[in-house]
Amino acid sequence: MFGRIGRFSVHRPWLVVAMWVIAAVGLAILAPPLKSSTDQADFLPSRYESVKVTKLQEHAFPQQESAAAILVYQRSDGGKLSEADKAAVTKATAGFQDKKYETFKSVVTTPEAVSKDGKMALANIYSTKKDVYDEDTQQSIKDLREDRDKLLKGTSLKVDVTGPAASGLDATESSGDTDAMIMMATLVLIIVLLGAIFRSPLIALMPVLMILVMFIMAQGLIATASDWFGLEADSSVSAILIVVLFGVGTDYMLFLLFRYREHLRKGQQPKEALVDAVTRVGETIASAAGAVIVAFLALVLSTMGSLRAMGPSLAISVAVTLVAALTLVPAVFSLLGTKAFWPSKAWKKAPRNRLANGAGSLVSRRPGLIAAVSAGVLAVLAVGALGFKAQFDTDSTLPKDLESVHAMAELQKSFSAGESDPSLVYVQSNGGKLDAAALTGFRQKLTAVEGVGEVSPAVLNPKGDVAQFSVVLKYRPASDKAIELVSGKLRDTAHGSAPEGSKALVGGSTAVLADIEDAVNHDYRLVFPVAGLAIMLILGLLLRSVVAPLYLMLAVGLGFAATLGSTVWLFQNVRGEDGLLFMLPIIVYLFVVAIGTDYNILMVARLREEVRKGKTPAEAARLAVSQSAPTIGSAAIILAGTFGVLMLASNTMLQQMGFAVAFGILLTAFIMALLLVPTVTAMLGSKAWWPNHRHDSPDTSGASGPGRAEEPDAAGETVRV
């Protein structure tokens, strides 16, 4: 099959290139815009209590609104507000109201909105749009920020804007800058590294141009799929999509180009060499891409809507990369011929590769020692994973210098920790009106919960069958203590103390975070095993072995733990972060396990091929390492570099993700694929290929006999069958 694909692409290059360009342009024009959401509450399923509270609130208190944004007034010198300052706050707030911004229903303040220390006053902004992340609402925030200097002119005040709409605007603008920076840094990195490896400007530039076409295609297909199936993409998916396409796409191109160059060095004509390259590495690329796609698709089992949307998006991007690697890339290099390597002449003669040969010799001479040392390094790094602490406050990952983030931090200094965002407790009657005396007793029980600062009197809906209590916690709403309190004692007390004939529900942003924590723990128990089993099945089918996939997955699992442990040590212990992004283990698991398996596929398949040629296990390990090291090393450096670019982002979430995946890929390539896997395989000998017993009897014949055909194995080498 891969031979037919290769011949079609190589011998009809203009047709293949034209088909790709037309498809990319068509999708760019016709595909709907890609929607995104930054509100984690949107991503929880309806069975969670915080989601039920939101629906109950909309039904029982339809007139009640939450502020879309908050104005934070302070003196420029940080002192207490004078009576003149308070009057200026009232006047400025009225001025904002009179501006009649497009989506602002009202801008209001009250005398009670002054902090107890007298240093701060607040005003709430209520929007006409239910979605506070709506573009029109964010434009209104921009307009207000432009007008504030005029309205505060002549006063000693300054005003900052925070709250959901302002945070959404700042996150979007910050992300936009980050995407552009990541795109530029990734392009420069790939061009420089490819130029250094092949010493050719054409090979440095052509993959980048082809990946840009893939990027347009992937975005169009993702947007179309999202529109058809009602998916929403997380706001961070664009940056991840860039590095996935450029990193994985460059990986697959390197697999093909290294094989193409090898055949040219053997004296084959360019088109023949290119067809053979596609034929021989097609299975490798397809298997590697299949493992990544399966791992990403496992995210559809996630409870979190953000991960469910991310999974198909990234799977589509890898599928596009796979098809391009087997069609577009051969077509382009068919047109270029050997001119692609200009001005370098290195493609005509194989280099000595002293480093790779030295590594191969070391592995073959001391397999036990190398296996012990490499496994020991991974085990030591893995210890750090025991200290992993999940961080569920996504706003804390935003740059600290953003106005909304800074203003919220200032607000929480002057107001009590939970006052800026109280939890909400609802009591709903199973039939009839609620008893006022029973509600008073219920309130007293809530107030008695340790960690609760204040509970407001019950507010009844018009029918009198639903009561609302505002619960101010003593802890910051997104803190671990607040989440633990809401998910534990507060909910237990509310549920157990509900008046007879009623039920109690606890909601609010802290409750949302508590439910997210529960959802993520569920995903850990489900997504990890499903993805692992699916990848192991792919390896089993590819290698036709039961034993090899088992120790390969054990090795990759150790690599995952080492990656997470290293990230914990860097960000929590060295940089002093409160914790790591709650979904980081899932992202690391999928990227490191799936993408890291690519290098293991190359290594184990080459080991198998050498054994079938009659080599001893030690000699097979030497040859496999020396032959595969240049390809694996180059691909890993480029792929790790593209993910490492995320560390340039100001968003802590992207920094953590960039380091973890980049470092995990380097561990997988240089410690696992080039050291641990070949040494373990050499020590196991023929047992590694059980029950495929044909590997026990080496094929030492020099040519194909009757009934024996040649076919490429997973590493792209010819084996006898």
Side-chain angles (χ1 to χ4, degrees):
M1 179 181 73
F2 297 106
R4 291 193 295 271
I5 294 173
R7 282 189 293 273
F8 179 85
S9 301
V10 170
H11 293 295
R12 295 176 177 81
W14 285 113
L15 175 61
V16 173
V17 172
M19 290 170 61
W20 270 92
V21 172
I22 291 171
V25 172
L27 280 171
I29 296 173
L30 301 177
L34 182 62
K35 300 177 181 178
S36 66
S37 175
T38 57
D39 186 0
Q40 291 292 349
D42 292 343
F43 297 133
L44 285 171
S46 58
R47 69 175 181 273
Y48 281 94
E49 188 170 337
S50 59
V51 179
K52 293 178 181 179
V53 165
T54 300
K55 294 180 178 179
L56 178 61
Q57 181 181 12
E58 292 174 352
H59 171 72
F61 298 93
Q63 76 287 354
Q64 192 176 71
E65 297 177 297
S66 297
I70 302 172
L71 299 178
V72 180
Y73 291 96
Q74 293 174 286
R75 284 182 60 88
S76 300
D77 59 9
K80 289 187 177 182
L81 298 174
S82 65
E83 291 302 319
D85 292 330
K86 295 176 184 178
V89 168
T90 303
K91 182 178 179 181
T93 302
F96 287 126
Q97 172 66 37
D98 293 339
K99 289 288 184 179
K100 299 189 182 301
Y101 299 104
E102 183 177 354
T103 63
F104 289 173
K105 181 186 297 183
S106 60
V107 184
V108 297
T109 187
T110 63
E112 292 78 18
V114 177
S115 61
K116 293 179 181 179
D117 62 9
K119 293 183 177 182
M120 185 177 295
L122 306 179
N124 289 335
I125 298 175
Y126 297 95
S127 177
T128 57
K129 297 289 186 74
K130 183 179 178 181
D131 180 10
V132 296
Y133 302 97
D134 175 78
E135 291 183 5
D136 293 335
T137 301
Q138 294 190 353
Q139 183 59 49
S140 295
I141 295 290
K142 291 181 183 179
D143 295 339
L144 183 147
R145 285 175 171 172
E146 291 178 0
D147 293 336
R148 59 186 166 187
D149 289 342
K150 297 177 183 178
L151 291 174
L152 292 176
K153 187 176 182 180
T155 72
S156 302
L157 299 175
K158 64 176 183 176
V159 63
D160 293 316
V161 190
T162 187
S167 296
L169 170 63
D170 290 344
T172 300
E173 292 182 341
S174 174
S175 175
D177 295 340
T178 297
D179 287 354
M181 178 192 65
I182 289 173
M183 174 73 83
M184 183 57 63
T186 301
L187 289 175
V188 171
L189 178 69
I190 290 177
I191 290 172
V192 170
L193 290 178
L194 284 176
I197 292 170
F198 290 97
R199 303 169 195 171
S200 166
L202 275 177
I203 288 186
L205 293 173
M206 290 309 299
V208 171
L209 296 177
M210 286 185 281
I211 293 172
L212 287 174
V213 174
M214 298 178 212
F215 181 72
I216 295 171
M217 284 279 290
Q219 275 200 319
L221 290 173
I222 291 168
T224 302
S226 299
D227 185 60
W228 286 357
F229 300 106
L231 298 176
E232 284 189 330
D234 184 79
S235 58
S236 64
V237 75
S238 295
I240 301 172
L241 184 63
I242 291 170
V243 294
V244 167
L245 279 169
F246 279 88
V248 176
T250 305
D251 249 16
Y252 297 163
M253 287 186 199
L254 284 176
F255 293 171
L256 183 64
L257 289 177
F258 270 96
R259 181 61 60 183
Y260 174 44
R261 189 173 64 178
E262 181 179 326
H263 291 318
L264 288 174
R265 286 169 174 168
K266 292 178 180 178
Q268 290 184 330
Q269 293 300 308
K271 289 188 182 294
E272 179 189 2
L274 202 49
V275 171
D276 280 355
V278 177
T279 302
R280 299 189 178 202
V281 301
E283 187 179 5
T284 301
I285 295 174
S287 301
V292 180
I293 289 171
V294 166
F296 287 154
L297 287 179
L299 289 175
V300 300
L301 301 175
S302 171
T303 307
M304 293 289 295
S306 56
L307 293 178
R308 288 201 308 273
M310 184 185 294
S313 297
L314 297 180
I316 289 172
S317 69
V318 175
V320 169
T321 304
L322 167 62
V323 176
L326 298 178
T327 58
L328 179 62
V329 176
V332 169
F333 281 93
S334 175
L335 294 172
L336 294 174
T338 57
K339 296 183 180 67
F341 298 99
W342 180 87
S344 173
K345 303 294 184 181
W347 62 273
K348 295 181 178 181
K349 184 179 179 180
R352 294 183 179 180
N353 286 332
R354 293 177 180 175
L355 187 61
N357 291 332
S361 298
L362 182 63
V363 165
S364 66
R365 291 198 310 267
R366 306 295 296 273
L369 175 62
I370 298 301
V373 171
S374 55
V377 170
L378 294 176
V380 169
L381 293 175
V383 172
L386 299 175
F388 172 74
K389 182 180 178 183
Q391 174 63 263
F392 293 90
D393 182 9
T394 54
D395 285 345
S396 67
T397 67
L398 294 174
K400 301 297 185 287
D401 59 349
L402 293 181
E403 179 179 329
S404 58
V405 176
H406 175 73
M408 182 57 71
E410 290 294 308
L411 184 154
Q412 291 174 347
K413 289 179 182 177
S414 292
F415 288 86
S416 59
E419 195 167 351
S420 62
D421 190 5
S423 295
L424 299 173
V425 178
Y426 288 86
V427 176
Q428 183 179 25
S429 172
N430 296 331
K433 293 186 177 182
L434 292 167
D435 179 63
L439 291 176
T440 300
F442 178 76
R443 178 193 176 198
Q444 292 173 349
K445 291 181 180 179
L446 292 181
T447 306
V449 174
E450 184 179 357
V452 171
E454 183 181 350
V455 180
S456 69
V459 177
L460 290 170
N461 68 330
K463 291 184 179 180
D465 60 348
V466 178
Q468 180 194 71
F469 297 87
S470 179
V471 181
V472 176
L473 306 180
K474 294 180 180 179
Y475 313 118
R476 189 170 58 86
S479 66
D480 291 339
K481 288 184 177 180
I483 294 172
E484 182 180 357
L485 173 60
V486 168
S487 62
K489 291 183 179 179
L490 184 59
R491 273 184 171 164
D492 291 343
T493 301
H495 296 164
S497 304
E500 187 176 351
S502 68
K503 64 178 180 180
L505 298 171
V506 180
S509 61
T510 305
V512 170
L513 295 177
D515 288 342
I516 288 175
E517 181 176 21
D518 180 72
V520 170
N521 289 334
H522 167 270
D523 291 348
Y524 288 165
R525 296 189 298 269
L526 179 63
V527 175
F528 280 15
V530 169
L533 288 173
I535 294 173
M536 193 181 299
L537 178 61
I538 290 177
L539 288 173
L541 293 173
L542 173 70
L543 301 174
R544 300 164 184 87
S545 166
V546 172
V547 176
L550 288 175
Y551 69 78
L552 283 176
M553 289 305 296
L554 288 174
V556 174
L558 182 59
F560 158 75
T563 301
L564 187 60
S566 302
T567 310
V568 168
W569 273 334
L570 176 62
F571 285 91
Q572 290 184 198
N573 298 342
V574 176
R575 294 185 53 174
E577 300 284 351
D578 292 334
L580 301 180
L581 180 68
F582 64 88
M583 63 180 182
L584 186 65
I586 292 180
I587 299 298
V588 170
Y589 179 83
L590 295 172
F591 278 101
V592 173
V593 169
I595 297 177
T597 302
D598 294 0
Y599 308 133
N600 289 334
I601 288 174
L602 284 172
M603 179 56 66
V604 175
R606 187 58 182 255
L607 284 163
R608 181 183 66 177
E609 191 271 335
E610 295 298 340
V611 168
R612 297 202 68 233
K613 286 181 179 179
K615 305 294 191 300
T616 64
E619 179 66 6
R622 184 188 71 79
L623 290 171
V625 171
S626 61
Q627 293 291 335
S628 303
T631 305
I632 291 176
S634 301
I637 289 173
I638 290 179
L639 185 60
T642 55
F643 276 99
V645 166
L646 289 174
M647 295 187 67
L648 299 176
S650 55
N651 188 310
T652 305
M653 176 188 71
L654 293 179
Q655 291 176 2
Q656 294 173 3
M657 190 180 301
F659 170 80
V661 178
F663 191 68
I665 288 169
L666 293 176
L667 286 178
T668 298
F670 291 100
I671 293 184
M672 191 186 311
L674 292 178
L675 298 178
L676 182 60
V677 168
T679 52
V680 171
T681 304
M683 289 187 293
L684 287 175
S686 61
K687 298 182 181 67
W689 315 111
W690 183 87
N692 196 345
H693 295 294
R694 62 180 180 170
H695 295 299
D696 298 341
S697 302
D699 175 12
T700 57
S701 61
S704 300
R708 300 180 65 81
E710 291 187 348
E711 70 173 22
D713 77 345
E717 298 295 336
T718 301
V719 298
R720 311 287 183 188
V721 294

